[in-house]
Amino acid sequence: RRRAVGPDVTIVQDGGIQRGTDIAKAIALGADLVGVGKPYLYGLGAGGKPGVRKALTILRDEFQRAMGLLGVGSIAELKARGRDLVKARGVSPRDAQGARYSVASII
């Protein structure tokens, strides 16, 4: 979290990002950078270089749509208003799907 480390530290969210809405949530909660390894690899496996381009295009479109639905016009605005836009929720059983470990102690 940004408050814990201050403004001079770069926060990277790497892991769990599969959709454009995940990117929007990460940035809204303070991330400066977001790693998108899994979508990149899915695109690569499915279609080589064109598949990677398609996967990144889908992520970009989903991210832009999420920003529009949140009513923000820029990443700077998303960062500034983010904490008020993202609703916190408890752990869901779906959070552990496909994981080797689970905060919910399901697996």
Side-chain angles (χ1 to χ4, degrees):
R1 306 256 168 139
R2 175 64 53 206
R3 287 186 304 242
V5 297
D8 297 328
V9 175
T10 301
I11 297 175
V12 179
Q13 167 69 44
D14 189 18
I17 303 294
Q18 295 187 41
R19 296 176 206 78
T21 53
D22 297 329
I23 297 169
K25 286 183 270 187
I27 292 172
L29 294 174
D32 297 305
L33 302 170
V34 179
V36 291
K38 196 176 286 188
Y40 170 90
L41 291 174
Y42 287 158
L44 183 62
K49 189 185 275 188
V52 171
R53 282 194 205 103
K54 180 67 173 177
L56 295 178
T57 298
I58 291 169
L59 282 175
R60 183 197 63 217
D61 292 347
E62 289 176 347
F63 175 62
Q64 290 174 341
R65 186 176 306 113
M67 285 183 49
L69 291 170
L70 288 168
V72 296
S74 68
I75 291 174
E77 186 179 1
L78 178 60
K79 285 184 169 199
R81 296 183 48 212
R83 299 292 296 160
D84 297 329
L85 299 173
V86 177
K87 180 181 177 185
R89 65 168 175 81
V91 176
S92 164
R94 295 181 317 161
D95 293 337
Q97 289 181 348
R100 293 182 184 264
Y101 59 91
S102 170
V103 175
S105 299
I106 296 170
I107 297 177

